[in-house]
Amino acid sequence: MQKQDVVDFKNQITMLLKNLDIPLSEDDLLKIIEVPPEKNMGDYALPCFKLSKLLKKPPKAIADELALKIQGNLPDYLECVDSLNGYLNMFIKKTVYFESVLETILAKGYDYGSSLIGGGKKVTIDFSSPNIAKPFHVGHFKATILGYSLYNIYKFCGYDCIGINYLGDWGTQFGKLIVAYKLWGNKKEVEDNPIKALYSLYVKFHDEAEKDPSLVTEAQAWFKKMEDGDNEALSLWHWFKAESLEEFQKLYDILGVKFDVVVGESYYNDKVDNVVKLLESKNLLSQSEGAFIVDLEQDNMPPCLIKKSDGASLYATRDIAAALDRKEKYNFDKALYVVAVQQNLHFKQWFKVIELLGYDWYSNLAHVGFGMVSLETGTIKTRTGNVVFIEDVINKAVEKVKFIIENKNTTLKNKDEAAEKIAVGAMIFSFLSDTSYKDTVFSLDKVLDFNGETGPYLQYTYARICSLLDKAKVEVSSKIDYSVIVDDSIIDIFKIAYEFPDTILLAMSKNEPSIIAKSIMTLAQAFNSFYHSNTIITDDKTLMHARLAVVKVTQTILHNGLRLLGIEPLKEI
Ligand code: ARG
């Protein structure tokens, strides 16, 4: 990985060792030099076991010799070196290390940690993608914030991102909805509360269809009408769609999430024939029970369904058509699909079909799957069926935060706005703090605990820092006396700050914002321990300037980390 701007000490050490005639290439050295698990083992260590074989000497003897040589002519960035149990441990001079970090942070500010690695290459990120007239549930919420965080991260790393909200706006369910609306619907109810009203109709349709199966046939007929371009069917569908979108938009506004493209599955209806033709021309299409499929037996997968016996297109076909279209429109270097792991097979299947079609860019398609989030029962009541509407969860969270803020007696002017931001930030942090694929249980009380490992804890720390910097009214500079800042917590803070650019690259390469979430949580904890054992604003100016530099470093990293997760850092709470 390429490090930007901060001095690359690992590289310097590699050069140093290389000049000592170590029989390993630079690349090999870079690979084996480690960051030791304990602080007292130095900042970097060279394990001498591989060398022992090459040099036919015990590792300890090699480490001893190297330590002696380096110690005799110590470069100015090293404090000391030490031989321990076959390792050569190297300690970077804290002043040099801190100065490098501080200088870079002061120079780059809120760009610190960004890079140009992406080189402007295009990444499409398909995320959120709820279904029209259906609840925006917890899974969509996770897809939304995970996708948006990845969007921010890739952008920060120099990619040109195209965020796509691929709405589920086509399928037989709309036939059912039309039948239900015509039988039991009410215009005003839909306008007042679109998703809930439409979803209730959908639920009612299923209840009634159990008693009267002719409803299903009727629904199929209405969907067929939609496919054939019937005016009445399409105008109802347009209306359902417009109402739903308006409702979704409210949520996106609260979350601060934006898309570059909002496009429904329906957009690909007239493009699926082309997919069918392509598959035919490559002899990939076969018929099974009247339907058209791509056989994937050789790849140990069930067949990919392309076209139903009644001619209706399918989810996978539309995804294939959309991928071809996106490749042509954006010529993406990478296409990410942020969708729950339940759809693993779907993505594997149609990615395979792209490969079988002979497109070498199949390997640039990636499904970023995530595990299930269940809600701790009892905390959130559901209003329709068993589905939890995410807006109900957010409303409840906002209420709770308001209550907490009231009791904190702050001088905050805009409490309602702050409460909403804290509540949303709390939810985002909790959804992004665990490895994405893990199944998790969401508890509102836990995520709102201002003292736990939570969003509010980070927000609170950030606000505390901003108020410290405001109060001090000092321009932080890198010309400080580094010898007065020696606490362990400060070493932790600078280490996290030093590694932050790499942390972001790692999060990007693994499509895992939780790596950033963990890093800023550890940072906030280190900061609070520093803050509790040191007075920052003091009469001793040397000390104050040095400590304020630590505060500034923390502020920048926290700010950038929160932003990358999609959480707005608040100066005041
Ligand atoms: N609308 C789908 C659902 O709610 C998710 C779509 C994901 N994106 C895609 N390209 N298939 O399950």
Side-chain angles (χ1 to χ4, degrees):
M1 274 180 207
Q2 169 195 336
K3 190 172 294 285
Q4 305 280 326
D5 303 338
V6 245
V7 175
D8 190 339
F9 292 111
K10 192 171 177 184
N11 206 32
Q12 299 226 1
I13 282 169
T14 306
M15 294 317 200
L16 172 75
L17 293 170
K18 193 67 206 134
N19 287 335
L20 296 176
D21 287 335
I22 290 188
L24 285 175
S25 71
E26 247 170 74
D27 277 355
D28 283 341
L29 272 170
L30 271 173
K31 263 183 227 143
I32 64 169
I33 293 172
E34 298 174 356
V35 174
E38 309 272 339
K39 276 185 210 152
N40 61 3
M41 297 172 177
D43 297 298
Y44 294 96
L46 175 76
C48 297
F49 309 99
K50 196 167 172 189
L51 282 171
S52 157
K53 275 193 205 125
L54 293 169
L55 297 170
K56 303 199 170 45
K57 267 190 221 169
K60 182 179 178 314
I62 300 174
D64 283 350
E65 251 172 57
L66 286 172
L68 215 62
K69 270 195 207 162
I70 299 174
Q71 202 67 50
N73 187 10
L74 208 58
D76 54 7
Y77 62 88
L78 280 184
E79 182 76 50
C80 62
V81 291
D82 180 24
S83 158
L84 187 76
N85 302 330
Y87 286 84
L88 173 71
N89 294 336
M90 292 160 276
F91 296 76
I92 307 287
K93 228 182 236 165
K94 292 291 165 283
T95 50
V96 178
Y97 189 84
F98 288 7
E99 192 173 11
S100 163
V101 173
L102 188 54
E103 267 175 2
T104 317
I105 285 186
L106 292 179
K108 294 195 96 179
Y110 294 151
D111 278 337
Y112 180 72
S114 68
S115 68
L116 300 171
I117 271 186
K121 280 185 257 160
K122 293 214 160 49
V123 182
T124 56
I125 307 179
D126 180 314
F127 71 104
S128 191
S129 309
N131 302 319
I132 297 303
K134 287 235 187 120
F136 191 107
H137 55 63
V138 190
H140 293 124
F141 182 74
K142 178 133 187 186
T144 307
I145 52 162
L146 177 58
Y148 195 52
S149 176
L150 290 173
Y151 182 93
N152 295 330
I153 294 170
Y154 274 84
K155 205 165 162 194
F156 210 54
C157 294
Y159 282 92
D160 181 2
C161 297
I162 299 133
I164 304 175
N165 192 357
Y166 181 69
L167 300 169
D169 66 348
W170 204 251
T172 46
Q173 73 269 29
F174 293 99
K176 297 176 186 167
L177 203 55
I178 293 178
V179 172
Y181 179 73
K182 283 168 105 26
L183 285 172
W184 315 292
N186 172 309
K187 187 157 189 247
K188 177 140 183 12
E189 266 172 31
V190 174
E191 277 168 357
D192 288 349
N193 216 333
I195 312 275
K196 282 184 178 145
L198 292 172
Y199 186 58
S200 312
L201 285 172
Y202 185 72
V203 172
K204 187 170 169 92
F205 177 91
H206 280 270
D207 291 345
E208 298 294 326
E210 270 185 27
K211 291 174 249 161
D212 177 5
S214 76
L215 287 174
V216 177
T217 327
E218 213 178 309
Q220 278 162 350
W222 273 103
F223 180 58
K224 181 90 181 72
K225 278 192 187 183
M226 277 171 63
E227 296 220 294
D228 295 343
D230 174 84
N231 257 346
E232 188 190 359
L234 285 183
S235 73
L236 274 171
W237 168 77
H238 271 297
W239 178 54
F240 296 154
K241 189 167 162 175
E243 293 288 342
S244 305
L245 267 178
E246 208 175 298
E247 178 112 346
F248 292 151
Q249 192 54 46
K250 283 187 205 147
L251 188 61
Y252 294 135
D253 288 343
I254 292 176
L255 298 176
V257 168
K258 291 190 181 66
F259 302 93
D260 300 296
V261 183
V262 179
V263 62
E265 290 183 36
S266 63
Y267 177 78
Y268 295 99
N269 270 343
D270 59 0
K271 298 179 176 56
V272 292
D273 279 348
N274 186 36
V275 174
V276 173
K277 275 195 207 115
L278 258 174
L279 289 166
E280 257 169 356
S281 71
K282 307 245 167 185
N283 278 331
L284 291 167
L285 214 56
S286 47
Q287 249 181 321
S288 160
E289 295 163 24
F292 287 97
I293 59 157
V294 175
D295 188 276
L296 297 174
E297 206 178 325
Q298 277 207 329
D299 300 286
N300 293 321
M301 281 187 272
C304 183
L305 303 182
I306 300 294
K307 209 168 160 179
K308 282 204 242 172
S309 46
D310 64 3
S313 69
L314 285 153
Y315 185 43
T317 329
R318 292 193 284 271
D319 255 326
I320 295 169
L324 296 172
D325 182 59
R326 288 174 193 177
K327 183 69 195 170
E328 196 178 302
K329 271 202 181 112
Y330 310 115
N331 193 19
F332 56 74
D333 199 58
K334 210 178 226 194
L336 304 182
Y337 294 83
V338 185
V339 188
V341 290
Q342 279 96 327
Q343 297 194 25
N344 268 351
L345 179 63
H346 164 73
F347 284 98
K348 268 198 184 154
Q349 285 177 310
W350 79 257
F351 287 179
K352 191 78 205 171
V353 174
I354 296 279
E355 182 185 350
L356 293 172
L357 278 169
Y359 295 114
D360 57 358
W361 48 267
Y362 77 91
S363 58
N364 302 337
L365 303 170
H367 172 210
V368 181
F370 57 83
M372 220 173 65
V373 187
S374 43
L375 302 170
E376 205 173 58
T377 46
T379 41
I380 298 127
K381 293 233 164 51
T382 64
R383 282 193 239 156
T384 319
N386 295 325
V387 185
V388 176
F389 287 72
I390 201 71
E391 71 204 59
D392 290 345
V393 186
I394 294 180
N395 289 340
K396 185 111 193 192
V398 175
E399 249 171 62
K400 285 199 177 212
V401 174
K402 266 192 202 156
F403 181 77
I404 299 172
I405 294 186
E406 292 296 340
N407 287 342
K408 274 195 182 286
N409 228 350
T410 70
T411 52
L412 201 64
K413 274 168 242 108
N414 209 340
K415 284 188 189 154
D416 285 355
E417 201 185 318
E420 186 176 289
K421 292 200 166 131
I422 295 168
V424 166
M427 290 180 60
I428 296 180
F429 187 79
S430 103
F431 274 70
L432 293 182
S433 55
D434 250 322
T435 318
S436 306
Y437 64 79
K438 237 167 81 182
D439 288 344
T440 47
V441 180
F442 177 85
S443 144
L444 210 44
D445 286 328
K446 270 195 208 130
V447 315
L448 294 179
D449 179 357
F450 277 54
N451 298 315
E453 295 196 353
T454 62
Y457 174 81
L458 293 177
Q459 293 276 26
Y460 201 64
T461 307
Y462 184 79
R464 164 180 283 163
I465 289 175
C466 290
S467 107
L468 268 171
L469 290 170
D470 265 1
K471 240 192 253 158
K473 296 193 179 57
V474 169
E475 185 79 32
V476 175
S477 121
S478 59
K479 304 282 166 275
I480 52 166
D481 181 353
Y482 289 91
S483 66
V484 297
I485 43 174
V486 287
D487 304 40
D488 268 1
S489 54
I490 297 178
I491 297 176
D492 291 341
I493 290 170
F494 274 92
K495 204 169 162 61
I496 294 166
Y498 178 74
E499 285 165 0
F500 194 61
D502 277 348
T503 304
I504 295 172
L505 290 179
L506 186 67
M508 182 181 76
S509 68
K510 293 189 179 282
N511 293 321
E512 193 59 86
S514 66
I515 295 173
I516 295 173
K518 291 200 175 92
S519 155
I520 58 171
M521 180 50 71
T522 319
L523 174 75
Q525 286 164 338
F527 176 82
N528 281 319
S529 118
F530 158 72
Y531 174 80
H532 287 299
S533 43
N534 292 286
T535 315
I536 309 220
I537 305 206
T538 130
D539 291 338
D540 181 337
K541 292 281 178 272
T542 311
L543 207 55
M544 178 165 96
H545 285 174
R547 287 180 179 163
L548 280 170
V550 181
V551 178
K552 184 73 194 167
V553 166
T554 313
Q555 190 250 354
T556 311
I557 306 293
L558 262 184
H559 175 279
N560 293 2
L562 285 169
R563 270 277 148 87
L564 289 173
L565 297 179
I567 300 173
E568 187 178 332
L570 301 173
K571 288 187 119 186
E572 234 191 318
I573 65 175

